[in-house]
């Protein structure tokens, strides 16, 4: 289930504060050096750095 556009406008990466974009069931950081991917579980973004997936 996609997140509301208004919600995506106000969310930012907790690690580097760059904007996030939705990709499947994750929110991916748009920061060039960060790139963390945060899971979305049951329609709720989990914006914890410890829960994020590092870029490949």
């Amino acid at each position: 289930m996609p997140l509301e556009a208004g919600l995506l406008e106000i969310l930012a990466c907790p690690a580097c504060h760059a904007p996030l974009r939705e990709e499947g069931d994750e929110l991916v950081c748009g920061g060039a050096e960060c790139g963390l991917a945060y899971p979305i579980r049951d329609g709720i973004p989990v914006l914890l750095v410890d829960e994020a997936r590092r870029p490949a």
Side-chain angles (χ1 to χ4, degrees), residues 2-47:
L3 296 175
E4 294 181 25
L7 180 60
L8 272 177
E9 290 178 12
I10 62 171
L11 291 178
C13 176
C16 72
H17 309 290
L20 296 169
R21 66 182 180 279
E22 191 170 6
E23 291 184 8
D25 61 347
E26 295 181 320
L27 291 178
V28 179
C29 176
E33 294 181 17
C34 184
L36 292 173
Y38 299 92
I40 300 173
R41 295 188 186 127
D42 298 323
I44 301 170
V46 181
L47 298 178

